Amino acid sequence: MLTRLTVAFAFSCLSCHLFAQAQQIIIETSQSALVLTVGGNQRVLQSYLGRKLAPAAYAALTGGREVYLTAGMDNQFEPAIRLVHNDGNPSLELKYVSHKTTREHDLTQTDIVLKDPVYPVEVTLHYTAYQNSGVIKSWADILHREKKPVMLTQYASALLHFNSEEYWLTQFHGDWAREVNMVEEKLTNGIKTLESKLGTRTNFYQTQAFFLSLNGKSSETAGELIAGTLAWTGNFQYTFEVDQRNGLRVRSGINAYASEYYLAPGETFTTPAFIFTWTDQGKGQASRNLHTWARNFGVLDGKGPRLTLLNNWEATHTSFNETRLTELFDEGKKLGIDLFLLDDGWFGNAFPRNDDKAGLGDWQEDKKKLPSGLGYLVKEAEKKSIKFGIWLEPEMVNPKSELYQKHPEWILKLPNREENYGRNQLVLDLVNPQVQDFVFAVVDDMMTKNPGIAFIKWDCNRSMTNAYSPYLKEKQSHLYIAYTQGLYKVMERIRAKYPHLPIMLCAGGGGRTDYGAMKYFTEFWPSDNTDGLERIFIQWGYSYFFPSNTISAHVTSMGKLQSLKFRTDVAMMGKMGYDIRVNNFTPQELQFSQEAVKTYKRISETVWFGNLYRLISPYEESRAVLMYVSENKSKAILFNYQLHTRRKDLFGRVQLQGLDPQKKYRFREINLFPDTKSINPDNNKVLTGEYLMNIGLNLAPGRIAPLSSNIFELTEE
C-alpha cells in the first residue's frame, strides 16, 4: 500500500522535460505497460496497454480514451463514476491536477489526482505495478468537500479500453457442487455483464474472475489477453461494452445494485482493487503471473507451509462424542497427518447443534457431546502428536438459538415481512459494531481459552435475502458495502492478534473465492463436491487464478466408482487433506495412504510454489495433464488423469513445458499402489529437457483404464 512506499522517484531534468512535452504517465511491469496521457483538455486518457516497450516508443503515443469516464457530461457510454451533487446536478468532470510515483522493492505505485473544476470533488486513481509478476492493481479514492453528502451511484475500481478486431471472453459460472464451469464466447456489440447481487456467498453462481482474449481466442501457450479479478468479498460487477466502432470498455468494481452511497463531506470512498495481468503468451502465462503475485502479496502466508488435515465430517457428520473423536485422532496419527479438524455440530446447549436447524450463534461446547470441552480435545490430539482445528460459522444465526432470542436487532431481516431462510439460518448484521465485537469475540474467546487450537475453518452457508439492517435505519442502500467492510474490520482485528493462525475460507463450498478475503485466509474450500472426476474440472478452473497451496482438496469416499488412488492423485494437485474414515481402509489402502501422505509432504514444495503448466485440458480431451516445475527447473511433478475414456480412444504424446532444455531429468512414476509397478515405457529413464518438451512422453501406453491416474516426478540428474 501507499504507506509502505517510501522511496520516491528522482525525476531527472531530462525526464521532467519529456513529461512536460508528452504529458504521459507510464505504469510498467517487467512484461507490460499501461500508458496514460494528459489530453489538451486536461482529461487523463488511456493511450496504450500491452507489451513493455522502449521509452522512445511511448513518446509517439497520443490520444486515447478517458481512463475514468464520468456521467452527466459528454460521455455516452457506461461511466466509471456517477455522482449527484447537493444541488441535484448529476454531472462530473475530472481534470488532471498532479501525479506522483513511488517505488519500494518489487512495487511501483502511481497516484493520479483528478478534480472537478466546478464542484469540490476529487478522485485519486491508484495503480500498483508488481514488476516481477507482471500484475497491476488499480483502485480509486473518491472525496468531496461539499456542504452536504453527495450520492454515488457508480464507483468503478477500473475502466480499461481496447481496440481489437474481436474479443473473446472466458467466464466461470456454476452452482453448489458444480463450481467454476468454464465458458468462452465472442463478444458482440452491446453490453455483457458478469455480476453478483448475493451480498454474502457472492461467488455462488458466478466466479469473479475472467479472461479477455484480443484478436481471436487464446490458448494456454499463445494469444494476447488480460486475466482479471476483483479483491472484494461482496457484490461485484464487470461490464464489457462493445461500441459502434468495435471499441471495448471493461468496467470492474462493486455492483452498484441497490447500493447508492451517500458520501459525507470529507469522507473518502475507497473502491476495492481490480487485479489484472496482460500477456501475449496465453492463459498459462497469465495464471503463472497471478500465482506469483498471490504467493507474494495476495494470500496470507502465501509462501509459508500448509497443514495436511483429517476432517471428521464424512465420518460422523454432527453425531459424535469425545470417545468417537479421540478414536479419529488415532486414525489421523495412523495416517500421518498434521492436524485433526472438528467440523460442524460441536456447539449449542439450549439448542444443540444436532443438524442444521439449530444452534448457530451459540458458540459454547455442547456439554452432552463434549463434557470435557475443547481444551480436552486439544490436549488429546497433542498426545497423538497432531494439532487440533475447529469449524466456525460466526456470521450466521439459527432462529433456534439463544443468540436469536437475546438479540433480534443483530439480524438482517425485513421488519414487516416473513423471515426467509437459507439452510435454516439468517445472516448477522456485520454493519453493527456490536455484532463485529461479537464475531471477533467468538474467535478470541475460543483461542484465549484454548491457545492450542491451530486451525479454523470459517464457513458462510447462505447469501442475503430479505436483507435489512436495523443498525443502518434510513441508509439501507449502504448495506451490501458496509457488510463487507464490517467483515474486513473483524478480520483485521483477528489478524492483529493471531497473525499466522491458518484459517480456511469456506462458503457452502466455493461461494467465496476472492483476493479481498485471501489476504486474511491461508486457503479456501473450492466445493463440497469431492468426487475425484468432478474435482478435476473444479480444481482446473480455480487453477487459472489461484495457486495450488490455496485450493484445498480432500480425499473422501465420494465417487465410489473411483479408486482410492485416483481420488488421492486428484487431491495431490492442490492442498491435500482427508475427510474419510481411515479405519474402513483395507490393509493395502492404509499402506498406500500412509505412503501418499509422506510422498505429498516430500513433493509439496514443488506443487505449492512451482510454476503451473496445464498441458492437456479435460475440456478438450478425455484426460487432463498438468505439471508443476520448481523455480530453478531442477524438479517437476507431472499429473496424468484418464477420464471417461472409450475403448478405442487414442491419445498422442504429451510435450512437457517449463523445463530447462539443457538439463537431464530422471523420469519416475510415484504414488503407486502397493504391489503394482509402473507400465510407462519411459519410467526411470534419464531424458533431456529438450527431448521432454519437443518429443514428449507417451502417458497412455497399452489399454487405458477409465478413471485412472499417474503421478510422475522429474528430478535433475
Side-chain angles (χ1 to χ4, degrees):
M1 296 300 294
L2 180 60
T3 54
R4 297 181 184 174
L5 303 176
T6 57
V7 183
F9 270 138
F11 286 103
S12 68
C13 291
L14 175 61
S15 62
C16 288
H17 176 71
L18 288 174
F19 172 72
Q21 293 272 323
Q23 289 284 294
Q24 284 188 332
I25 304 167
I26 299 170
I27 300 156
E28 286 184 318
T29 74
S30 60
Q31 305 168 25
S32 60
L34 173 64
V35 179
L36 310 179
T37 301
V38 180
N41 58 2
Q42 295 302 105
R43 295 187 187 180
V44 178
L45 313 175
Q46 178 188 316
S47 298
Y48 177 78
L49 173 58
R51 182 183 298 171
K52 181 179 180 180
L53 304 174
Y58 301 138
L61 294 169
T62 59
R65 292 175 176 170
E66 195 165 351
V67 73
Y68 205 69
L69 279 168
T70 65
M73 297 289 288
D74 50 356
N75 169 41
Q76 296 179 324
F77 300 100
E78 288 294 295
I81 182 171
R82 181 177 182 272
L83 182 151
V84 180
H85 301 281
N86 296 167
D87 59 5
N89 190 322
S91 67
L92 184 67
E93 184 177 17
L94 294 176
K95 293 193 172 187
Y96 172 84
V97 175
S98 65
H99 80 281
K100 66 176 180 179
T101 303
T102 52
R103 281 180 176 170
E104 183 181 347
H105 306 301
D106 184 45
L107 311 184
T108 302
Q109 180 152 329
T110 301
D111 307 299
I112 306 168
V113 179
L114 312 173
K115 287 185 179 179
D116 190 300
V118 176
Y119 291 89
V121 177
E122 178 179 306
V123 174
T124 303
L125 303 180
H126 303 282
Y127 298 89
T128 303
Y130 297 85
Q131 299 300 314
N132 294 333
S133 61
V135 166
I136 296 175
K137 186 168 71 173
S138 173
W139 75 100
D141 286 333
I142 303 167
L143 170 69
H144 80 95
R145 293 182 176 85
E146 298 189 22
K147 293 180 180 180
K148 297 178 182 179
V150 301
M151 182 175 69
L152 288 168
T153 65
Q154 287 289 353
Y155 29 80
S157 298
L159 183 68
L160 296 176
H161 299 272
F162 300 91
N163 285 291
S164 298
E165 292 184 6
E166 58 184 38
Y167 310 97
W168 288 84
L169 176 67
T170 304
Q171 61 169 304
F172 301 83
H173 69 93
D175 197 349
W176 178 78
R178 55 185 186 89
E179 291 84 352
V180 289
N181 294 283
M182 184 168 63
V183 176
E184 188 170 26
E185 63 181 327
K186 185 177 180 179
L187 293 176
T188 57
N189 291 87
I191 300 175
K192 168 79 175 183
T193 301
L194 306 178
E195 66 178 10
S196 168
K197 301 184 181 80
L198 301 178
T200 51
R201 204 183 178 193
T202 49
N203 295 359
F204 190 18
Y205 302 126
Q206 185 74 50
T207 302
Q208 62 197 75
F210 66 87
F211 289 114
L212 175 68
S213 298
L214 310 172
N215 297 312
K217 291 184 178 182
S218 296
S219 68
E220 279 291 315
T221 56
E224 182 183 0
L225 73 148
I226 66 161
T229 187
L230 189 72
W232 181 246
T233 319
N235 293 346
F236 62 88
Q237 185 183 71
Y238 303 120
T239 59
F240 304 85
E241 184 174 20
V242 180
D243 65 24
Q244 75 285 1
R245 296 182 178 179
N246 209 46
L248 171 65
R249 281 165 293 280
V250 179
R251 185 181 63 180
S252 309
I254 297 173
N255 190 347
Y257 165 78
S259 296
E260 298 85 6
Y261 197 89
Y262 295 89
L263 189 66
E267 177 189 358
T268 298
F269 183 93
T270 300
T271 73
F274 176 58
I275 299 156
F276 69 98
T277 185
W278 174 94
T279 181
D280 57 3
Q281 298 176 47
K283 296 183 177 76
Q285 186 58 51
S287 291
R288 290 187 288 277
N289 289 352
L290 288 171
H291 296 173
T292 300
W293 172 84
R295 287 190 292 260
N296 286 286
F297 303 102
V299 176
L300 182 69
D301 293 335
K303 300 182 80 171
R306 298 291 190 265
L307 298 168
T308 303
L309 62 84
L310 172 66
N311 196 338
N312 71 299
W313 182 249
E314 286 206 9
T316 68
H317 292 276
T318 58
S319 300
F320 53 80
N321 54 35
E322 288 177 347
T323 302
R324 188 88 184 275
L325 293 178
T326 54
E327 288 174 358
L328 291 173
F329 296 169
D330 290 323
E331 295 184 27
K333 181 174 176 59
K334 187 188 301 182
L335 189 59
I337 52 89
D338 305 312
L339 176 135
F340 176 85
L341 173 62
L342 175 58
D343 214 293
D344 195 358
W346 59 269
F347 51 92
N349 288 295
F351 299 92
R353 182 71 167 177
N354 295 321
D355 52 36
D356 64 10
K357 296 179 175 64
L360 279 180
D362 301 344
W363 299 103
Q364 313 89 26
E365 298 98 319
D366 184 329
K367 294 178 181 177
K368 290 184 179 179
K369 293 179 183 177
L370 307 177
S372 305
L374 292 176
Y376 168 78
L377 295 176
V378 172
K379 291 177 182 177
E380 288 300 304
E382 289 174 347
K383 289 178 183 177
K384 311 295 183 183
S385 299
I386 59 177
K387 297 179 180 180
F388 182 83
I390 194 78
W391 178 94
L392 294 172
E393 194 174 2
E395 299 168 65
M396 303 288 161
V397 62
N398 285 124
K400 291 183 178 180
S401 68
E402 292 181 279
L403 181 66
Y404 180 91
Q405 294 178 346
K406 292 177 181 176
H407 291 289
E409 78 282 6
W410 283 8
I411 297 165
L412 294 178
K413 58 177 181 176
L414 289 166
N416 58 348
R417 302 285 186 184
E418 290 186 7
E419 293 178 348
N420 180 261
Y421 303 134
R423 202 172 179 252
N424 303 297
Q425 64 197 56
L426 295 164
V427 183
L428 292 177
D429 185 5
L430 266 183
V431 181
N432 188 333
Q434 289 183 302
V435 177
Q436 295 172 24
D437 291 343
F438 169 79
V439 174
F440 170 75
V442 169
V443 176
D444 189 40
D445 292 349
M446 184 182 65
M447 294 300 300
T448 301
K449 287 174 59 180
N450 309 287
I453 289 177
F455 186 95
I456 291 174
K457 179 181 178 182
W458 184 295
D459 215 337
C460 171
N461 276 297
R462 70 152 297 171
S463 54
M464 292 182 189
T465 55
N466 292 24
Y468 177 94
S469 166
Y471 180 81
L472 282 173
K473 298 179 182 177
E474 71 276 5
K475 287 189 177 180
Q476 292 302 314
S477 65
H478 287 207
L479 172 58
Y480 290 122
I481 294 171
Y483 183 96
T484 304
Q485 292 170 337
L487 173 64
Y488 293 161
K489 288 176 183 177
V490 172
M491 296 312 303
E492 289 285 351
R493 292 172 67 184
I494 290 172
R495 284 312 178 191
K497 191 166 184 181
Y498 308 100
H500 300 291
L501 174 69
I503 306 181
M504 177 196 292
L505 178 64
C506 181
R512 277 178 170 171
T513 54
D514 68 272
Y515 283 115
M518 288 308 295
K519 62 184 177 183
Y520 305 112
F521 293 83
T522 50
E523 59 207 77
F524 65 88
W525 184 237
S527 176
D528 286 341
N529 186 345
T530 55
D531 175 285
L533 175 61
E534 297 294 333
R535 266 304 184 104
I536 287 174
F537 288 89
I538 291 169
Q539 292 168 208
W540 190 273
Y542 283 117
S543 78
Y544 284 109
F545 299 93
F546 297 96
S548 60
N549 63 340
T550 66
I551 304 171
S552 297
H554 292 177
V555 181
T556 75
S557 58
M558 191 180 289
K560 292 186 177 178
L561 295 178
Q562 303 157 17
S563 69
L564 178 63
K565 172 176 166 51
F566 181 82
R567 286 176 276 140
T568 303
D569 287 355
V570 172
M572 277 192 172
M573 71 164 158
K575 189 254 166 184
M576 187 176 75
Y578 287 83
D579 190 350
I580 198 167
R581 191 65 193 265
V582 178
N583 278 358
N584 291 340
F585 285 168
T586 66
Q588 275 193 321
E589 288 175 333
L590 178 60
Q591 180 185 346
F592 166 76
S593 298
Q594 290 170 331
E595 291 301 316
V597 171
K598 293 177 184 176
T599 297
Y600 182 72
K601 290 182 177 181
R602 181 174 60 78
I603 68 172
S604 60
E605 185 171 344
T606 303
V607 173
W608 294 345
F609 310 127
N611 288 314
L612 169 62
Y613 296 87
R614 290 177 294 265
L615 307 178
I616 305 291
S617 170
Y619 284 90
E620 297 172 358
E621 296 187 17
S622 291
R623 61 174 172 169
V625 186
L626 66 153
M627 64 187 293
Y628 296 94
V629 182
S630 64
E631 195 66 36
N632 63 5
K633 302 188 178 186
S634 64
K635 295 181 181 179
I637 306 298
L638 175 68
F639 295 89
N640 176 50
Y641 305 106
Q642 305 297 338
L643 309 183
H644 284 305
T645 54
R646 301 178 64 190
R647 176 178 290 272
K648 292 189 177 182
D649 273 342
L650 296 174
F651 294 122
R653 299 175 74 88
V654 178
Q655 294 173 322
L656 307 192
Q657 296 175 28
L659 302 174
D660 185 333
Q662 304 304 317
K663 289 183 177 180
K664 294 181 179 179
Y665 298 90
R666 184 168 296 278
F667 176 76
R668 184 171 65 93
E669 185 166 0
I670 60 174
N671 213 44
L672 290 160
F673 207 74
D675 302 322
T676 63
K677 295 181 179 179
S678 176
I679 63 169
N680 190 283
D682 293 316
N683 186 56
N684 213 31
K685 286 185 178 179
V686 176
L687 304 165
T688 66
E690 183 179 37
Y691 177 92
L692 291 165
M693 292 191 292
N694 289 279
I695 306 298
L697 297 165
N698 178 7
L699 299 180
R703 188 175 182 279
I704 305 166
L707 300 179
S708 60
S709 56
N710 315 91
I711 302 178
F712 301 96
E713 183 175 24
L714 290 86
T715 308
E716 181 184 0
E717 284 284 294

